Amino acid sequence: MSTAEETAGGEVVPWGEVTPDAARRLLMAAVEAFAERGYHATTTRDIAGRAGMSPAALYIHYKTKEELLHRISRIGHEKAVDILRTAARREGTPAERLADAVSSFVRWHAGGRTTARVVQYELDSLGPDARAEILALRRQCDAEVRGIIEDGVAVGDFHVLDVKGTTLAVLSLCIDVARWFNIEGPWTPDEVGALYADLVLRMVGAAK
């Protein structure tokens, strides 16, 4: 299933940031290959072939296979930060903001599950510098969710003994959707997003 096809009914990931068209095609081919075979088992020839290009053409746009993974990871994590930051800074109660953050984050992982699997589970394939950059983005994701939970605790809407641990649990729940979600299964991305938002509000003991 292609990156474009997988997003039917979910959040579309157009990779509009990536230009020219050949570079975008190669990046999308890399996403599919990394998700299917894993980063280390994928060759640049595999990626170029999926994009309908020669291996030599790949090096015009990307110096190495790792550069492709790094760009995929950076764009994906920047999108994740944007989703969570938008929800965290909207108007509304902590419960409304947390529900928005969770449902939006889950929809992104479900609707773009192939991309999300690469973004979330290939971190250790990156070199030290690239990995450090992605970890910094992950800390931003953590900070946005933790901030909402802290706000809820401060006003008495949430009952949480361990904010740091609860934040980790919430993010882990959302991210794991990319591992199991099937667009042909019984749920839509919107339905899973709503279900997880309800589960997380129960987890933090949100005031009714």
Side-chain angles (χ1 to χ4, degrees), residues 111-132:
R113 67 203 177 284
T114 299
T115 297
R117 281 200 299 271
V118 176
V119 168
Q120 298 291 5
Y121 295 116
E122 287 288 359
L123 176 64
D124 289 340
S125 299
L126 292 170
D129 292 343
R131 190 172 186 272

Side-chain angles (χ1 to χ4, degrees), residues 43-84:
T43 67
T44 54
R45 185 176 295 274
D46 294 332
I47 296 168
R50 287 172 183 259
M53 301 167 68
S54 70
L58 184 148
Y59 295 108
I60 296 173
H61 302 284
Y62 301 99
K63 295 178 181 178
T64 64
K65 183 176 70 169
E66 186 190 346
E67 183 180 337
L68 263 168
L69 178 61
H70 181 206
R71 191 162 193 194
I72 292 164
S73 297
R74 185 176 67 248
I75 293 172
H77 279 86
E78 286 172 347
K79 177 62 176 176
V81 171
D82 180 64
I83 288 169
L84 295 172

Side-chain angles (χ1 to χ4, degrees), residues 93-114:
T93 66
E96 290 169 340
R97 290 156 53 211
L98 185 59
D100 188 16
V102 170
S103 60
S104 299
F105 205 39
V106 166
R107 286 199 306 271
W108 183 70
H109 282 85
R113 67 203 177 284
T114 299

Side-chain angles (χ1 to χ4, degrees), residues 132-192:
E133 180 184 355
I134 301 306
L135 285 173
L137 290 170
R138 288 195 175 194
R139 286 192 291 271
Q140 291 181 44
C141 290
D142 181 277
E144 295 298 341
V145 174
R146 188 174 65 250
I148 301 173
I149 295 174
E150 288 173 343
D151 288 347
V153 171
V155 299
D157 288 353
F158 298 164
H159 303 281
V160 175
L161 295 178
D162 184 343
V163 171
K164 182 178 179 180
T166 301
T167 300
L168 176 61
V170 169
L171 288 170
S172 297
L173 276 174
C174 296
I175 289 168
D176 194 57
V177 170
R179 182 184 59 79
W180 63 262
F181 184 81
N182 183 350
I183 199 68
E184 297 177 355
W187 298 301
T188 66
D190 284 345
E191 289 170 339
V192 178

